[in-house]
Amino acid sequence: MAVLLQVDFPYSGPWGEDMAQAMRGLAESIAQEPGLLWKIWTESRDASEAGGIYLFADRASAEAYLQMHRARLLGFGVPQVNAKLFDVNPALSAIDRAPLGG
């Protein structure tokens, strides 16, 4: 069953296109993670937060990624990493045309 991972953390920039340029290598690395189906990058300049919404093929992949990613962010000096895991309801998600496949 697909699992959604929601992550956010304090972030002071860069934002928008500058963030896209600065984080390109990281995005390419994340795209290669086992079990990852897709990721949406999130940012809120007003709240000084960034993060992402990830869809993984299974819980084990999501949990393994979260453990690695949390340690990586803390290593980058991020003081706190908030995360939640959610099981996906595929029948209801299909009604809304959510892209659950790879």
Side-chain angles (χ1 to χ4, degrees):
M1 174 186 289
V3 172
L4 191 95
L5 170 61
Q6 174 185 319
V7 175
D8 66 77
F9 50 88
Y11 184 72
S12 59
W15 307 101
E17 185 56 36
D18 291 335
M19 180 189 206
Q21 290 177 11
M23 302 295 177
R24 183 174 180 86
L26 180 60
E28 291 170 348
S29 171
I30 292 169
Q32 302 304 312
E33 287 295 324
L36 179 71
L37 301 175
W38 52 256
K39 175 184 179 180
I40 296 173
W41 289 70
T42 59
E43 60 181 71
S44 173
R45 185 183 305 240
D46 292 341
S48 295
E49 292 180 346
I53 307 294
Y54 307 74
L55 184 66
F56 283 90
D58 55 75
R59 183 168 287 272
S61 296
E63 288 175 347
Y65 177 78
L66 175 56
Q67 181 179 356
M68 179 280 298
H69 192 49
R70 178 176 270 141
R72 173 173 51 197
L73 289 170
L74 294 172
F76 289 163
V78 172
Q80 179 179 344
V81 178
N82 304 307
K84 291 182 182 179
L85 291 164
F86 298 91
D87 292 329
V88 172
N89 184 309
L92 289 173
S93 298
I95 294 169
D96 295 328
R97 298 180 297 280
L100 298 179

